[in-house]
Amino acid sequence: MSVADNADWGRTVETAACERWPLEHVAADNDKPDWFDARFVAPLEAESTPEPIVEAGTPVEVKSCRRRYCGRYGRWWIKRESHDRLVDAAGEYVLAVTDRTGIVRMSLLSAETVDCLCSTWWETGDGGPNAEEYRQVPWTVVFEDLVGPGGEQR
């Protein structure tokens, strides 16, 4: 998979997230913060609660990974600096798993919830030039129901 393929999948997931939830894509320009991809344009409400689940204006970082990559389950790559800013802003993540056919699963999780999955941070090394620390989170910790007995995919 090339960097261009990853970028295409990222745009596909962003578009799908904006169609599923009241989100708007934040255009990539000099004024766009580099720590989120979209924001809520309206509150996200649930029938069971009188208060919105997510307020309008909440920033959202969109992450996708392949279901399988190099013989193992895919992982979301999270930069600590961006993640910490998202936590401080009470932001959200859209986490998606893709395969050759499209989006397998997509979910909205608070940055605070994702923070519980990021107990260990690694120095960048080969992780990339734009972050000092990062964490790779396997999709299996969020979408356990897609993993069958013995670790095979369902």
Side-chain angles (χ1 to χ4, degrees), residues 48-110:
S48 61
T49 63
E51 297 294 319
I53 298 170
V54 181
E55 298 287 342
T58 299
V60 178
E61 176 68 358
V62 179
K63 296 288 184 185
S64 66
C65 70
R66 292 296 298 247
R67 190 170 189 165
R68 299 289 289 183
Y69 183 74
C70 294
R72 68 177 189 173
Y73 292 121
R75 291 162 165 66
W76 297 295
W77 198 83
I78 297 175
K79 294 191 283 186
R80 185 172 192 172
E81 180 182 359
S82 298
H83 172 74
D84 288 348
R85 291 180 78 178
L86 201 61
V87 169
D88 290 345
E92 300 282 324
Y93 278 97
V94 167
L95 299 177
V97 178
T98 64
D99 67 13
R100 286 183 170 85
T101 65
I103 299 170
V104 176
R105 183 75 63 84
M106 181 170 60
S107 187
L108 183 69
L109 291 174
S110 72

